[in-house]
Amino acid sequence: MAPEGTWPKLTDLSGDALHSGLAELMRELGDQAPTRSDRQIAGMVFRDAQPWDLDRMAELAKLITEQIDPHQWRLIPQDELGRAFSIMLRDCREDIDRKIETGQTLTPFPVLSAVVKVLGVRSDDIVIDPACGTGSTLIAAYQAMQSIDPAAIAGADLDAQMCRLATMNILLNTGRPFSDPAPVKLADTLTRKVPVVREDSGVLPTVAICNPPFRSDGVVPNATMRDDFLAYGDFPTNFLQHLMVTLKPGARAAVFVPDGVLFGGGAAATVRRALLKNCDVHTLLRLPTGMFHRKSVKSNILFFTKSTPKPNGQPVTRNLWVYDAHTGNHRTDTGNPITEADFDDFVDACLAGGDISNRTESDRFRRYPVSDLLDHPNVTFDLKANLAAGVEDFGSPKEIASEIADLLDTAAKHFREVAEALP
């Protein structure tokens, strides 16, 4: 992938010469011709990449000569490299969260494992993630598919650093050849009226999994309103709407959304109503609090199947089933991390032995007829699953205290940033 003879040159350089040599190498690799499939991956990984700061060249030289150069990397099984890279991403999550402007957050793998089970991802599916971040959703889908075709997954992201991390993550965890077309595209999905990430293939996806950014921090999601959108809102609302209007009938989707998308007015309410009418919105999972590294994130997952609107105007959705893994369940990514076993009951309740019509209500799983949702002026999805009628649940004292502590931590971080910026 690198120009011939480049690596021996790097091992012999130090100081200013190493900095200049590495910068030149990254520029050459990042400028690879996008029309050649064997050059696309190099261009994606190294596009806009920058070498370490000049004052850290001694560290880099030591890393190259003592840790990288002595090993025969081709002899290491690729699945081991993939696991190691995934662990590195997990351990660097705080740095990733801080540097990425558009607000992505790393999604715990146990959640993704439950998602692909409920979606029933199969080996013949084509899976996309239009806001793929580090690519973990696509890796979870690929592992569930046990596919022999790594090209059955594809992603896109509008952040070059995310595309770089996702590309390496997918390649190392799926065995996809470096000579293949890049599995991730640097693109703003929301400006496109098609769901296909790999436009050259002409293949329409059958499954979409998306955990879009929940905040923008001054980044404008899109400057122009799409004429196929009913409304225009924040990132999660727009991604939900994008999949609703672009997926083909029969395609299944799971989209992570914050609480505001479930009960907010304006664009969010418009999209919720349209979603119920045009898709079978069959499941809502209220996720535990604190499970994301960015602790202030409160997340849910909407599962739906794209359908053809009914000629009589009646909604496609019949019942929305809500599973509450939120109430009384506060997690942290270090001291009390989420596990796959935590979602076993959710998966069993949803699949109901393979027949969704056999679902039964429980303390955490409750059915809401679509008529009840549409009769509400705001078409709210702010629904509970384990409450007695007329009783409002604000969570356990421990959960409330933990959420307050998380908010105070976030506020303190912002105040420190302001203090450091002051003269």
Side-chain angles (χ1 to χ4, degrees):
M1 184 167 63
E4 187 175 354
T6 299
W7 182 252
K9 289 182 181 178
L10 285 182
T11 58
D12 296 335
L13 298 178
S14 61
D16 290 355
L18 177 57
H19 189 270
S20 300
L22 184 58
E24 177 61 19
L25 172 59
M26 288 180 170
R27 186 195 64 76
E28 289 182 36
L29 292 171
D31 289 344
Q32 298 292 339
T35 55
R36 289 186 53 177
S37 63
D38 60 337
R39 303 281 182 88
Q40 285 183 17
I41 287 179
M44 180 60 67
V45 172
F46 290 97
R47 178 182 290 134
D48 300 328
Q50 298 295 323
W52 288 8
D53 293 338
L54 184 59
D55 61 1
R56 300 186 65 192
M57 288 303 99
E59 294 177 66
L60 180 59
K62 185 176 181 180
L63 175 66
I64 290 174
T65 58
E66 297 183 11
Q67 300 297 327
I68 298 178
D69 192 53
H71 296 285
Q72 296 292 325
W73 294 96
R74 293 179 181 273
L75 301 180
I76 299 176
Q78 195 163 31
D79 59 341
E80 292 185 16
L81 290 175
R83 284 195 295 271
F85 193 81
S86 297
I87 291 172
M88 183 194 72
L89 290 178
R90 185 192 64 201
D91 291 344
C92 296
R93 59 192 177 272
E94 183 172 345
D95 189 54
I96 292 173
D97 282 353
R98 183 174 65 251
K99 289 185 177 180
I100 302 305
E101 293 182 345
T102 47
Q104 291 99 329
T105 188
L106 299 182
T107 310
F109 198 84
V111 183
L112 298 175
S113 178
V115 167
V116 297
K117 290 175 184 175
V118 172
L119 287 175
V121 177
R122 305 181 299 266
S123 59
D124 58 344
D125 278 316
I126 303 295
V127 183
I128 64 166
D129 184 344
C132 69
T134 61
S136 55
T137 55
L138 296 173
I139 293 170
Y142 180 80
Q143 293 179 353
M145 296 161 72
Q146 298 182 341
S147 175
I148 60 173
D149 180 14
I153 58 174
D157 203 281
L158 53 73
D159 188 288
Q161 183 170 330
M162 285 287 96
C163 290
R164 182 179 303 122
L165 295 174
T167 297
M168 290 302 302
N169 204 14
I170 291 170
L171 291 175
L172 294 175
N173 278 283
T174 66
R176 185 169 183 160
F178 278 72
S179 58
D180 273 9
V184 173
K185 183 183 293 293
L186 178 62
D188 184 352
T189 305
L190 292 178
T191 63
R192 299 162 179 249
K193 295 184 180 180
V194 292
V196 182
V197 176
R198 296 177 289 122
E199 290 90 347
D200 57 332
S201 70
V203 177
L204 292 172
T206 58
V207 174
I209 306 173
C210 183
N211 186 2
F214 283 7
R215 61 175 176 82
S216 60
D217 282 6
V219 178
V220 179
N222 294 107
T224 305
M225 173 73 170
R226 275 174 43 175
D227 57 15
D228 60 341
F229 274 16
L230 298 173
Y232 189 71
D234 56 14
F235 270 129
T237 299
N238 290 342
F239 272 103
L240 189 62
Q241 187 170 197
H242 167 75
L243 294 174
M244 178 185 70
V245 301
T246 59
L247 289 177
K248 67 177 183 179
R252 297 105 67 202
V255 183
F256 289 70
V257 296
D259 282 358
V261 172
L262 300 183
F263 55 79
T270 300
V271 171
R272 288 195 299 272
R273 185 178 295 276
L275 198 67
L276 293 173
K277 290 193 172 184
N278 298 313
C279 305
D280 179 13
V281 189
H282 54 82
T283 308
L284 168 62
L285 171 61
R286 308 296 298 268
L287 288 169
T289 59
M291 55 176 280
F292 289 97
H293 186 64
R294 183 175 287 125
K295 297 180 175 61
S296 59
V297 171
K298 292 184 179 180
S299 190
N300 314 271
I301 309 176
L302 271 175
F303 295 82
F304 64 90
T305 301
K306 176 67 180 289
S307 185
T308 302
K310 294 184 178 180
N312 60 7
Q314 292 298 309
V316 172
T317 300
R318 296 179 58 191
N319 298 294
L320 173 60
W321 287 80
V322 181
Y323 190 96
D324 186 358
H326 168 92
T327 303
N329 192 11
H330 184 83
R331 297 304 184 105
T332 63
D333 57 356
T334 52
N336 186 26
I338 207 77
T339 67
E340 289 195 34
D342 291 314
F343 294 101
D344 285 347
D345 183 66
F346 164 69
V347 172
D348 291 343
C350 286
L351 297 183
D355 187 352
I356 193 173
S357 63
N358 289 333
R359 287 181 172 182
T360 57
E361 292 189 321
S362 67
D363 288 344
R364 288 193 176 271
F365 203 36
R366 182 176 175 184
R367 180 180 67 91
Y368 288 86
V370 69
S371 57
D372 292 355
L373 306 178
L374 291 174
D375 286 345
H376 192 283
N378 208 29
V379 200
T380 183
F381 286 5
D382 185 24
L383 308 169
K384 307 293 183 182
N386 61 345
L387 303 181
V391 178
E392 182 62 35
D393 179 24
F394 296 100
S396 67
K398 181 177 181 179
E399 182 178 11
I400 295 172
S402 297
E403 291 184 14
I404 292 173
D406 289 343
L407 292 172
L408 289 174
D409 287 343
T410 301
K413 177 183 176 182
H414 290 319
F415 277 118
R416 280 194 297 271
E417 292 172 352
V418 171
E420 291 170 359
L422 292 174

